[in-house]
Amino acid sequence: METELKHRTAANLGGTAAPATDAPPIAKVDTIAPEPKVPPTAGKLKHGLAMQIFRRVSLALYFILSCVAIVLTQLIGAPLYWYDRNLYYSYMALTKESFGILAVTVTHWWGSTVMRISGDESVAGQIRKTADGRVEFDFPERLVLIANHQIYTDWLYLWWAGYANRPQMHGHLYIILKESLKFIPVLGQGMLFYGFIFMSRKMAVDQPRLAYRLQKLRQEHTALDGSKYLDPMWLLLFPEGTNLSRNNRVKSAKWAEKSGVKDMEHALLPRSTGSLFCLRELKGSVEYLYDCTVAYEGVPYSEECYTLSGIYFEGRPPKSVNFYWRRFRIDDIPLDDADEFDEWLRQRWYEKDELLDGYLSTGKFPPTPTKVEGDAKTEDATGDGYVVTDVRTKSAGEFTRIYVVLGSVFLVWRILARVWGRFTG
């Protein structure tokens, strides 16, 4: 089946698949990080000092007030944990939706950019453009999502993909993070409530903790009619372990030389241990692994020009963010042998490297092919094979949902205080 998947991907790239035991058809890379083909540039500075200060202050106020509102909302619902666990997790999913809306609105208002989306035949028909110009994904409620890691905002754009899914999944996204992040004031507490998985990067410590969290994510529940069901879940993994930069490219090249494998030109070598453990633990509860290749227009080392400060404060967001999606059935992935899985994952990353090389040459990933149904071909709703849109909410006032619970509690408290005041004179 792996050979079939390689042929499928190679055909979509316009090439010929190599045998499963051969190295992928990419150019030989030296152990020194290659020079970028395109000079890094984030474009001209759009805002002067006064506007930058205004953007910083306004963004900080909105972000901090929203995060405080979300954490207070979580604390209000925390007692549900001892009353009804299912109700508690559903409530926390709603607060996670609030943070998803916060991420989308911050990106839309302070760092708006073009999103160009396509995929191979495995996702044909699952990516559509809506009448009002947004994108709508039709991905399943439970999946494992892997992606190359370019810059720190990758997870924001992927979280937006959960928001744009049908049904919406921005309340059911789970991320594996380094342990130090849970000690960030307010944000750390919020992420703990969300059930995010914190790792110390010491497998002896992390494995029991990870196993416990993953078992929670595959726990069955019983509906009122007696049927069994699983909670929705998108588990986001970055197998590279860190984001792309010149320094990390050098480290990747040294690791490739030490391991006796070819390095990448436009990505980092993936580490397979964590991904294999997650897939083994979740096997039987998740049918598909979705893979997203992420590229930022015009630059091979995006971290050097698309900084958080540049995107949100200076008005220099990416000219476009490009997604290319693929889907793999988990039962077809070799999970029983660690070496075979390591080879399988590396081959997928070599294919990513080819995709990124083609993207840097043409400015686009391959278009989504037409979907074949029976004897008739139906054009995908992407038209030319691409959905071009932007990161935004479905309605202008949706951000107010962040404050609904807190506002309602305050209103009830005010009413009760007034009633009490009348009775006590």
Side-chain angles (χ1 to χ4, degrees), residues 148-193:
N148 58 311
H149 200 1
Q150 294 258 345
I151 60 177
Y152 294 117
T153 54
D154 290 339
W155 64 273
L156 287 172
Y157 297 116
L158 291 167
W159 201 325
W160 162 77
Y163 171 84
N165 195 65
R166 190 189 66 173
Q168 289 183 303
M169 293 300 299
H170 58 305
H172 303 282
L173 187 76
Y174 295 88
I175 307 175
I176 295 178
L177 303 165
K178 58 183 180 181
E179 191 170 31
S180 59
L181 294 176
K182 71 182 180 182
F183 300 108
I184 299 175
V186 182
L187 285 175
Q189 287 72 35
M191 290 186 287
L192 285 169
F193 276 120

Short mmCIF file of all heavy atoms in Angstrom, two decimals, residues 148-193:
data_model
loop_
_atom_site.label_atom_id
_atom_site.label_comp_id
_atom_site.label_asym_id
_atom_site.label_seq_id
_atom_site.Cartn_x
_atom_site.Cartn_y
_atom_site.Cartn_z
N ASN A 148 4.51 20.42 8.09
CA ASN A 148 5.85 20.99 8.24
C ASN A 148 5.72 22.29 9.04
O ASN A 148 4.70 22.96 9.01
CB ASN A 148 6.50 21.24 6.88
CG ASN A 148 5.68 22.15 5.99
OD1 ASN A 148 4.48 21.96 5.81
ND2 ASN A 148 6.32 23.17 5.43
N HIS A 149 6.79 22.63 9.75
CA HIS A 149 6.73 23.76 10.68
C HIS A 149 7.64 24.88 10.17
O HIS A 149 8.85 24.80 10.29
CB HIS A 149 7.18 23.31 12.07
CG HIS A 149 6.73 24.21 13.17
ND1 HIS A 149 5.96 25.34 12.97
CD2 HIS A 149 6.96 24.16 14.52
CE1 HIS A 149 5.74 25.93 14.13
NE2 HIS A 149 6.33 25.24 15.08
N GLN A 150 7.03 25.93 9.59
CA GLN A 150 7.80 27.01 9.01
C GLN A 150 8.07 28.12 10.01
O GLN A 150 9.20 28.48 10.27
CB GLN A 150 7.04 27.58 7.80
CG GLN A 150 6.90 26.61 6.64
CD GLN A 150 7.88 26.91 5.52
OE1 GLN A 150 8.47 27.97 5.46
NE2 GLN A 150 8.05 25.96 4.63
N ILE A 151 7.00 28.71 10.57
CA ILE A 151 7.14 29.81 11.51
C ILE A 151 6.18 29.63 12.67
O ILE A 151 5.35 28.71 12.67
CB ILE A 151 6.92 31.19 10.83
CG1 ILE A 151 5.51 31.29 10.23
CG2 ILE A 151 7.97 31.45 9.77
CD1 ILE A 151 5.20 32.64 9.62
N TYR A 152 6.26 30.52 13.65
CA TYR A 152 5.48 30.36 14.87
C TYR A 152 3.98 30.50 14.65
O TYR A 152 3.19 30.07 15.49
CB TYR A 152 5.94 31.37 15.92
CG TYR A 152 7.36 31.12 16.39
CD1 TYR A 152 8.36 32.05 16.17
CD2 TYR A 152 7.69 29.94 17.05
CE1 TYR A 152 9.67 31.81 16.59
CE2 TYR A 152 8.98 29.69 17.47
CZ TYR A 152 9.97 30.63 17.24
OH TYR A 152 11.25 30.39 17.66
N THR A 153 3.57 31.12 13.54
CA THR A 153 2.14 31.30 13.30
C THR A 153 1.50 30.12 12.58
O THR A 153 0.29 30.15 12.33
CB THR A 153 1.89 32.58 12.48
OG1 THR A 153 2.69 32.54 11.29
CG2 THR A 153 2.24 33.82 13.28
N ASP A 154 2.25 29.08 12.24
CA ASP A 154 1.67 27.93 11.53
C ASP A 154 0.43 27.41 12.24
O ASP A 154 -0.59 27.11 11.61
CB ASP A 154 2.70 26.80 11.42
CG ASP A 154 3.84 27.12 10.47
OD1 ASP A 154 3.67 28.00 9.62
OD2 ASP A 154 4.91 26.49 10.59
N TRP A 155 0.53 27.27 13.57
CA TRP A 155 -0.58 26.66 14.32
C TRP A 155 -1.82 27.55 14.28
O TRP A 155 -2.94 27.05 14.36
CB TRP A 155 -0.16 26.36 15.75
CG TRP A 155 0.18 27.57 16.57
CD1 TRP A 155 1.40 28.19 16.66
CD2 TRP A 155 -0.70 28.31 17.42
NE1 TRP A 155 1.33 29.27 17.49
CE2 TRP A 155 0.06 29.37 17.98
CE3 TRP A 155 -2.04 28.18 17.76
CZ2 TRP A 155 -0.49 30.29 18.86
CZ3 TRP A 155 -2.59 29.10 18.64
CH2 TRP A 155 -1.82 30.13 19.18
N LEU A 156 -1.64 28.88 14.15
CA LEU A 156 -2.79 29.77 14.05
C LEU A 156 -3.56 29.52 12.76
O LEU A 156 -4.80 29.45 12.76
CB LEU A 156 -2.34 31.23 14.11
CG LEU A 156 -1.87 31.76 15.46
CD1 LEU A 156 -1.28 33.15 15.32
CD2 LEU A 156 -3.02 31.77 16.46
N TYR A 157 -2.85 29.38 11.64
CA TYR A 157 -3.51 29.14 10.36
C TYR A 157 -4.16 27.75 10.34
O TYR A 157 -5.24 27.57 9.76
CB TYR A 157 -2.51 29.27 9.21
CG TYR A 157 -1.94 30.66 9.09
CD1 TYR A 157 -0.58 30.91 9.28
CD2 TYR A 157 -2.75 31.75 8.77
CE1 TYR A 157 -0.06 32.19 9.16
CE2 TYR A 157 -2.24 33.04 8.67
CZ TYR A 157 -0.89 33.25 8.86
OH TYR A 157 -0.37 34.52 8.76
N LEU A 158 -3.52 26.76 10.99
CA LEU A 158 -4.10 25.42 11.04
C LEU A 158 -5.30 25.38 11.98
O LEU A 158 -6.26 24.65 11.74
CB LEU A 158 -3.03 24.41 11.47
CG LEU A 158 -1.92 24.19 10.42
CD1 LEU A 158 -0.75 23.43 11.04
CD2 LEU A 158 -2.46 23.45 9.21
N TRP A 159 -5.26 26.18 13.04
CA TRP A 159 -6.43 26.28 13.93
C TRP A 159 -7.59 26.91 13.15
O TRP A 159 -8.74 26.51 13.30
CB TRP A 159 -6.09 27.13 15.15
CG TRP A 159 -7.00 26.90 16.33
CD1 TRP A 159 -8.33 26.62 16.30
CD2 TRP A 159 -6.64 26.92 17.72
NE1 TRP A 159 -8.83 26.49 17.57
CE2 TRP A 159 -7.82 26.65 18.47
CE3 TRP A 159 -5.46 27.15 18.40
CZ2 TRP A 159 -7.83 26.62 19.86
CZ3 TRP A 159 -5.47 27.10 19.78
CH2 TRP A 159 -6.64 26.84 20.50
N TRP A 160 -7.28 27.88 12.32
CA TRP A 160 -8.32 28.48 11.46
C TRP A 160 -8.93 27.44 10.54
O TRP A 160 -10.14 27.47 10.28
CB TRP A 160 -7.71 29.63 10.64
CG TRP A 160 -8.54 30.03 9.46
CD1 TRP A 160 -9.68 30.79 9.46
CD2 TRP A 160 -8.32 29.67 8.09
NE1 TRP A 160 -10.17 30.93 8.18
CE2 TRP A 160 -9.35 30.25 7.32
CE3 TRP A 160 -7.33 28.93 7.44
CZ2 TRP A 160 -9.42 30.10 5.93
CZ3 TRP A 160 -7.40 28.78 6.07
CH2 TRP A 160 -8.44 29.36 5.33
N ALA A 161 -8.12 26.48 10.06
CA ALA A 161 -8.67 25.41 9.22
C ALA A 161 -9.73 24.62 9.99
O ALA A 161 -10.75 24.22 9.42
CB ALA A 161 -7.56 24.49 8.73
N GLY A 162 -9.50 24.40 11.29
CA GLY A 162 -10.51 23.74 12.11
C GLY A 162 -11.77 24.58 12.22
O GLY A 162 -12.88 24.05 12.20
N TYR A 163 -11.61 25.89 12.32
CA TYR A 163 -12.76 26.80 12.36
C TYR A 163 -13.54 26.74 11.05
O TYR A 163 -14.78 26.80 11.06
CB TYR A 163 -12.27 28.23 12.62
CG TYR A 163 -13.33 29.28 12.47
CD1 TYR A 163 -14.20 29.59 13.52
CD2 TYR A 163 -13.50 29.97 11.27
CE1 TYR A 163 -15.19 30.54 13.38
CE2 TYR A 163 -14.49 30.93 11.12
CZ TYR A 163 -15.33 31.21 12.17
OH TYR A 163 -16.31 32.17 12.02
N ALA A 164 -12.82 26.62 9.92
CA ALA A 164 -13.46 26.63 8.61
C ALA A 164 -14.00 25.27 8.21
O ALA A 164 -14.60 25.13 7.13
CB ALA A 164 -12.45 27.10 7.54
N ASN A 165 -13.81 24.26 9.06
CA ASN A 165 -14.31 22.92 8.73
C ASN A 165 -15.82 22.84 8.97
O ASN A 165 -16.41 23.65 9.67
CB ASN A 165 -13.60 21.87 9.60
CG ASN A 165 -13.78 20.47 9.08
OD1 ASN A 165 -13.31 20.15 7.99
ND2 ASN A 165 -14.44 19.61 9.83
N ARG A 166 -16.45 21.83 8.33
CA ARG A 166 -17.86 21.52 8.56
C ARG A 166 -17.97 20.07 9.00
O ARG A 166 -17.72 19.17 8.17
CB ARG A 166 -18.69 21.76 7.29
CG ARG A 166 -20.18 21.70 7.53
CD ARG A 166 -20.97 21.72 6.25
NE ARG A 166 -20.73 20.49 5.48
CZ ARG A 166 -21.39 20.17 4.36
NH1 ARG A 166 -22.29 20.99 3.87
NH2 ARG A 166 -21.13 19.06 3.72
N PRO A 167 -18.28 19.75 10.25
CA PRO A 167 -18.58 20.68 11.33
C PRO A 167 -17.34 21.38 11.86
O PRO A 167 -16.23 20.90 11.67
CB PRO A 167 -19.17 19.76 12.41
CG PRO A 167 -18.48 18.45 12.17
CD PRO A 167 -18.34 18.34 10.68
N GLN A 168 -17.54 22.52 12.51
CA GLN A 168 -16.42 23.29 13.01
C GLN A 168 -15.66 22.50 14.07
O GLN A 168 -16.25 21.86 14.93
CB GLN A 168 -16.90 24.62 13.59
CG GLN A 168 -17.39 25.60 12.53
CD GLN A 168 -17.79 26.92 13.13
OE1 GLN A 168 -18.63 26.98 14.02
NE2 GLN A 168 -17.18 28.00 12.65
N MET A 169 -14.32 22.57 13.98
CA MET A 169 -13.48 21.77 14.87
C MET A 169 -12.54 22.61 15.71
O MET A 169 -11.63 22.08 16.35
CB MET A 169 -12.69 20.75 14.04
CG MET A 169 -13.53 19.69 13.36
SD MET A 169 -14.47 18.70 14.54
CE MET A 169 -13.14 17.98 15.48
N HIS A 170 -12.72 23.94 15.72
CA HIS A 170 -11.79 24.79 16.47
C HIS A 170 -11.95 24.64 17.97
O HIS A 170 -11.10 25.13 18.72
CB HIS A 170 -11.96 26.25 16.06
CG HIS A 170 -13.32 26.82 16.24
ND1 HIS A 170 -14.45 26.25 15.69
CD2 HIS A 170 -13.78 27.91 16.91
CE1 HIS A 170 -15.51 26.96 16.01
NE2 HIS A 170 -15.13 27.98 16.75
N GLY A 171 -13.00 23.94 18.43
CA GLY A 171 -13.14 23.65 19.84
C GLY A 171 -12.62 22.29 20.23
O GLY A 171 -12.69 21.90 21.40
N HIS A 172 -12.07 21.56 19.26
CA HIS A 172 -11.63 20.18 19.52
C HIS A 172 -10.21 19.94 19.00
O HIS A 172 -9.84 18.81 18.71
CB HIS A 172 -12.60 19.20 18.87
CG HIS A 172 -14.02 19.37 19.32
ND1 HIS A 172 -14.47 18.90 20.53
CD2 HIS A 172 -15.08 19.99 18.74
CE1 HIS A 172 -15.76 19.20 20.67
NE2 HIS A 172 -16.15 19.86 19.60
N LEU A 173 -9.42 21.01 18.91
CA LEU A 173 -8.03 20.90 18.47
C LEU A 173 -7.14 20.64 19.67
O LEU A 173 -7.28 21.30 20.71
CB LEU A 173 -7.61 22.19 17.76
CG LEU A 173 -6.23 22.17 17.09
CD1 LEU A 173 -6.29 21.39 15.79
CD2 LEU A 173 -5.76 23.60 16.82
N TYR A 174 -6.22 19.71 19.53
CA TYR A 174 -5.26 19.38 20.58
C TYR A 174 -3.85 19.52 20.02
O TYR A 174 -3.57 19.06 18.92
CB TYR A 174 -5.49 17.97 21.12
CG TYR A 174 -6.82 17.83 21.82
CD1 TYR A 174 -7.97 17.49 21.09
CD2 TYR A 174 -6.95 18.06 23.18
CE1 TYR A 174 -9.20 17.38 21.72
CE2 TYR A 174 -8.18 17.94 23.82
CZ TYR A 174 -9.29 17.60 23.08
OH TYR A 174 -10.52 17.51 23.70
N ILE A 175 -2.99 20.15 20.81
CA ILE A 175 -1.63 20.44 20.36
C ILE A 175 -0.66 19.90 21.40
O ILE A 175 -0.92 19.96 22.61
CB ILE A 175 -1.41 21.96 20.19
CG1 ILE A 175 -2.48 22.56 19.28
CG2 ILE A 175 -0.03 22.25 19.61
CD1 ILE A 175 -2.42 24.07 19.16
N ILE A 176 0.48 19.37 20.93
CA ILE A 176 1.55 18.94 21.82
C ILE A 176 2.56 20.09 21.93
O ILE A 176 3.08 20.57 20.93
CB ILE A 176 2.22 17.66 21.30
CG1 ILE A 176 1.20 16.51 21.32
CG2 ILE A 176 3.44 17.30 22.14
CD1 ILE A 176 1.74 15.20 20.78
N LEU A 177 2.81 20.54 23.16
CA LEU A 177 3.63 21.72 23.40
C LEU A 177 4.76 21.41 24.38
O LEU A 177 4.70 20.43 25.14
CB LEU A 177 2.76 22.83 24.01
CG LEU A 177 1.53 23.27 23.21
CD1 LEU A 177 0.61 24.08 24.09
CD2 LEU A 177 1.94 24.05 21.99
N LYS A 178 5.79 22.25 24.36
CA LYS A 178 6.85 22.08 25.35
C LYS A 178 6.36 22.51 26.72
O LYS A 178 5.55 23.43 26.86
CB LYS A 178 8.11 22.86 24.95
CG LYS A 178 7.96 24.34 24.75
CD LYS A 178 9.28 24.93 24.29
CE LYS A 178 9.16 26.44 24.07
NZ LYS A 178 10.45 27.02 23.60
N GLU A 179 6.85 21.84 27.74
CA GLU A 179 6.29 21.94 29.08
C GLU A 179 6.36 23.35 29.66
O GLU A 179 5.49 23.77 30.42
CB GLU A 179 7.01 20.97 30.01
CG GLU A 179 6.35 20.79 31.34
CD GLU A 179 6.95 19.64 32.12
OE1 GLU A 179 8.17 19.38 31.96
OE2 GLU A 179 6.22 19.00 32.90
N SER A 180 7.38 24.11 29.30
CA SER A 180 7.58 25.44 29.89
C SER A 180 6.41 26.38 29.59
O SER A 180 6.16 27.33 30.34
CB SER A 180 8.88 26.06 29.38
OG SER A 180 8.87 26.18 27.97
N LEU A 181 5.65 26.11 28.49
CA LEU A 181 4.57 27.01 28.10
C LEU A 181 3.41 27.01 29.08
O LEU A 181 2.66 27.98 29.16
CB LEU A 181 4.07 26.65 26.69
CG LEU A 181 5.06 26.87 25.54
CD1 LEU A 181 4.46 26.38 24.24
CD2 LEU A 181 5.44 28.34 25.43
N LYS A 182 3.28 25.95 29.86
CA LYS A 182 2.14 25.90 30.78
C LYS A 182 2.31 26.84 31.97
O LYS A 182 1.37 27.07 32.73
CB LYS A 182 1.88 24.48 31.25
CG LYS A 182 2.90 23.91 32.22
CD LYS A 182 2.54 22.47 32.57
CE LYS A 182 3.53 21.86 33.55
NZ LYS A 182 3.19 20.45 33.85
N PHE A 183 3.51 27.40 32.13
CA PHE A 183 3.77 28.32 33.24
C PHE A 183 3.56 29.78 32.83
O PHE A 183 3.76 30.68 33.66
CB PHE A 183 5.19 28.12 33.77
CG PHE A 183 5.44 26.72 34.28
CD1 PHE A 183 6.25 25.85 33.58
CD2 PHE A 183 4.83 26.28 35.44
CE1 PHE A 183 6.48 24.56 34.03
CE2 PHE A 183 5.04 24.98 35.91
CZ PHE A 183 5.87 24.12 35.21
N ILE A 184 3.17 30.04 31.57
CA ILE A 184 2.86 31.41 31.16
C ILE A 184 1.59 31.85 31.86
O ILE A 184 0.58 31.15 31.82
CB ILE A 184 2.68 31.49 29.62
CG1 ILE A 184 3.96 31.07 28.90
CG2 ILE A 184 2.28 32.90 29.21
CD1 ILE A 184 3.80 31.01 27.40
N PRO A 185 1.60 33.01 32.51
CA PRO A 185 0.39 33.47 33.21
C PRO A 185 -0.81 33.55 32.28
O PRO A 185 -0.68 33.97 31.12
CB PRO A 185 0.79 34.87 33.72
CG PRO A 185 2.29 34.82 33.83
CD PRO A 185 2.73 33.94 32.70
N VAL A 186 -1.96 33.17 32.74
CA VAL A 186 -3.24 33.19 32.03
C VAL A 186 -3.24 32.18 30.87
O VAL A 186 -4.05 31.25 30.84
CB VAL A 186 -3.60 34.60 31.52
CG1 VAL A 186 -4.98 34.57 30.84
CG2 VAL A 186 -3.61 35.61 32.68
N LEU A 187 -2.36 32.36 29.89
CA LEU A 187 -2.32 31.47 28.73
C LEU A 187 -2.04 30.03 29.16
O LEU A 187 -2.66 29.09 28.65
CB LEU A 187 -1.28 31.93 27.72
CG LEU A 187 -1.63 33.15 26.87
CD1 LEU A 187 -0.44 33.55 26.00
CD2 LEU A 187 -2.84 32.89 26.00
N GLY A 188 -1.08 29.85 30.06
CA GLY A 188 -0.75 28.50 30.51
C GLY A 188 -1.92 27.82 31.19
O GLY A 188 -2.20 26.64 30.93
N GLN A 189 -2.62 28.56 32.04
CA GLN A 189 -3.79 27.98 32.71
C GLN A 189 -4.88 27.63 31.71
O GLN A 189 -5.54 26.60 31.82
CB GLN A 189 -4.34 28.98 33.74
CG GLN A 189 -3.48 29.13 35.00
CD GLN A 189 -2.19 29.89 34.75
OE1 GLN A 189 -2.15 30.81 33.95
NE2 GLN A 189 -1.13 29.51 35.44
N GLY A 190 -5.05 28.50 30.72
CA GLY A 190 -6.05 28.22 29.69
C GLY A 190 -5.73 26.95 28.93
O GLY A 190 -6.62 26.13 28.65
N MET A 191 -4.45 26.76 28.58
CA MET A 191 -4.05 25.58 27.81
C MET A 191 -4.20 24.30 28.64
O MET A 191 -4.50 23.23 28.10
CB MET A 191 -2.62 25.75 27.30
CG MET A 191 -2.49 26.80 26.22
SD MET A 191 -0.84 26.91 25.47
CE MET A 191 0.09 27.70 26.79
N LEU A 192 -4.01 24.40 29.96
CA LEU A 192 -4.23 23.24 30.82
C LEU A 192 -5.70 22.84 30.80
O LEU A 192 -6.04 21.65 30.72
CB LEU A 192 -3.78 23.55 32.25
CG LEU A 192 -2.27 23.57 32.50
CD1 LEU A 192 -1.96 24.16 33.86
CD2 LEU A 192 -1.68 22.17 32.38
N PHE A 193 -6.59 23.81 30.88
CA PHE A 193 -8.03 23.52 30.79
C PHE A 193 -8.38 22.90 29.44
O PHE A 193 -9.30 22.09 29.35
CB PHE A 193 -8.84 24.80 31.00
CG PHE A 193 -9.09 25.15 32.44
CD1 PHE A 193 -8.65 26.35 32.96
CD2 PHE A 193 -9.78 24.28 33.26
CE1 PHE A 193 -8.88 26.69 34.28
CE2 PHE A 193 -10.03 24.60 34.60
CZ PHE A 193 -9.57 25.81 35.11
#
